[in-house]
Amino acid sequence: MYRVLKKERLTPSAVLIEVEDERAKLVKPGQYALVQFKEDSEPIPLSFLHVKENSYTFLVEAVGRATLEITELLEEGFNFIEAPCGSPFPVKEYGRVLLVSKNWGIAPLINVGKALKEKNNEVYFIHVGENEEKVFLTEEASEISEEFLLFTEDGSLGEEGNTEWALRFFLENFPKPDLVVSAGSNIDSQMVCEVAKEKGLNHIAMVNAHILDANGLCLACRVLVEGEEKLACLDGPWFDGKKVNWDYAIQKEFFYRDEEKKALEAFMKELRRIKAKRGS
Ligand SMILES: Cc1cc2nc3c(=O)[nH]c(=O)nc-3n(C[C@H](O)[C@H](O)[C@H](O)COP(=O)(O)OP(=O)(O)OC[C@H]3O[C@@H](n4cnc5c(N)ncnc54)[C@H](O)[C@@H]3O)c2cc1C
Ligand code: FES
């Protein structure tokens, strides 16, 4: 078992979890772990947010069964963790870098943003939350950036606006970035990609694919990059945004939507029973 050292609730649907693991010293910026709560839970990818000598921290946003199990029920530890996984982010001297996160995407971008800042890049940060529940870690994001701009799609916190609107606002009011990096949603990264193409900006994006084994065996995480099949688990999750076939990635992401909905409904019933038993 991988022991949980600390669990902290940030919003009703998001928690921070620190896990003890000596493999933490092997983690490079932008990598992720494949985590499984219980033996019968679905393994899912989570990005490293903070990394220490013998532990690391994840931000977990509940969106379906596996993430809800972790945010609601995880106490002592994870049954299984494969770490570190994926290719690190290419940390170089780009100059001025704009980070654009959607919801949980703020976690990998804080991790990558710190490394970019240490490499003498000037970091700017935009976070777009679906609503105020999807706004977290904003102080930390501001600390690493020259300017931090907060938007929510429903206007419940910060300025009202979606990712495209926020990016266009930035480009009209701040100096032109040498690189834009996005994470947290394929749909939002596709918006960033369209604006990047229009304005001639470099763009690196985290592609969300179903990652089941993280070792290249199941092929579930295939994505198309310049027409060639790549594995998001090993070659990614970071790709040149302008080379990614976003329509293909988005279509694959929603392929299991009915099954995911059924799994969540069944788990909600189980969770109500567990909570009633505990009296919470
Ligand atoms: C490289 C990478 C890093 C990520 N980092 C974080 C993070 O730091 N914090 C965080 O909260 N979330 C992160 N995610 C997203 C997280 O893995 C999904 O939200 C989670 O897998 C959803 O599982 P579920 O059962 O709760 O929801 P489901 O109802 O099963 O799915 C909800 C959504 O998540 C996607 N999804 C489902 N299963 C998987 C899977 N095995 N792999 C990838 N996507 C899946 C589905 O396409 C769907 O869009 C990351 C995803 C990737 C690909
Ligand atoms: S997750 Fe199985 S090959 Fe990438």
Side-chain angles (χ1 to χ4, degrees):
M1 190 186 64
Y2 294 88
R3 200 156 68 94
V4 168
L5 300 176
K6 195 171 166 196
K7 183 175 178 185
E8 183 190 344
R9 190 159 287 279
L10 299 180
T11 70
S13 60
V15 296
L16 283 184
I17 296 176
E18 184 179 0
V19 183
E20 185 179 47
D21 187 344
E22 59 186 28
R23 293 172 298 178
K25 39 179 98 53
L26 305 175
V27 175
K28 298 205 170 72
Q31 289 190 294
Y32 68 92
L34 190 72
V35 313
Q36 188 189 36
F37 172 29
K38 291 185 291 179
E39 230 171 85
D40 59 352
S41 306
E42 186 197 348
I44 59 161
L46 293 175
S47 309
F48 296 107
L49 166 63
H50 303 135
V51 182
K52 294 188 195 159
E53 184 73 5
N54 282 310
S55 72
Y56 41 68
T57 302
F58 302 122
L59 163 82
V60 189
E61 180 200 329
V63 296
R65 180 179 180 134
T67 44
L68 199 61
E69 270 187 327
I70 295 171
T71 57
E72 295 298 316
L73 301 178
L74 176 93
E75 280 168 13
E76 287 174 10
F78 287 96
N79 171 59
F80 170 81
I81 297 184
E82 178 70 40
C85 305
S87 300
F89 184 90
V91 178
K92 297 182 195 162
E93 279 190 50
Y94 294 100
R96 191 174 297 122
V97 182
L98 171 63
L99 309 175
V100 184
S101 58
K102 177 72 182 290
N103 298 344
W104 60 259
I106 196 163
L109 289 191
I110 287 176
N111 183 273
V112 162
K114 277 186 188 158
L116 287 169
K117 197 176 160 71
E118 279 165 21
K119 260 270 187 232
N120 299 320
N121 291 284
E122 207 176 278
V123 175
Y124 290 77
F125 215 126
I126 297 176
H127 179 67
V128 183
E130 214 173 301
N131 53 48
E132 62 186 328
E133 246 193 63
K134 312 287 181 179
V135 175
F136 12 69
L137 305 171
T138 52
E139 248 178 61
E140 232 180 287
S142 330
E143 275 167 21
I144 58 161
S145 40
E146 306 292 317
E147 292 282 346
F148 171 75
L149 308 182
L150 176 65
F151 293 81
T152 46
E153 289 177 334
D154 66 354
S156 51
L157 208 59
E159 296 294 321
E160 183 173 344
N162 70 0
T163 293
E164 181 178 347
W165 201 93
L167 178 55
R168 289 191 186 281
F169 175 84
F170 181 91
L171 296 174
E172 276 164 25
N173 293 284
F174 292 90
K176 188 177 172 184
D178 300 297
L179 173 70
V180 183
V181 186
S182 60
S185 149
N186 286 340
I187 291 175
D188 291 65
S189 283
Q190 186 176 36
M191 289 180 198
V192 173
C193 175
E194 292 307 320
V195 178
K197 277 184 187 161
E198 186 190 309
K199 305 281 184 189
L201 305 170
N202 297 313
H203 176 212
I204 296 179
M206 176 189 266
V207 177
N208 297 349
H210 277 92
I211 292 182
L212 303 183
D213 61 15
N215 61 20
L217 289 178
C218 71
L219 306 182
C221 67
R222 277 174 296 192
V223 288
L224 289 176
V225 180
E226 270 189 320
E228 234 183 87
E229 280 188 353
K230 297 273 178 195
L231 296 178
C233 69
L234 296 178
D235 304 317
W238 304 98
F239 292 99
D240 180 334
K242 287 192 272 186
K243 294 183 180 169
V244 172
N245 183 330
W246 288 106
D247 288 336
Y248 180 75
I250 291 165
Q251 180 205 323
K252 275 189 79 184
E253 198 183 352
F254 292 107
F255 195 73
Y256 300 105
R257 193 187 259 182
D258 290 346
E259 288 81 357
E260 286 164 354
K261 196 166 163 247
K262 278 185 204 144
L264 178 62
E265 282 165 3
F267 179 67
M268 291 301 283
K269 277 190 199 154
E270 196 186 323
L271 187 62
R272 277 194 289 274
R273 269 200 304 273
I274 294 170
K275 285 193 164 181
K277 227 170 157 184
R278 282 180 180 172
S280 58

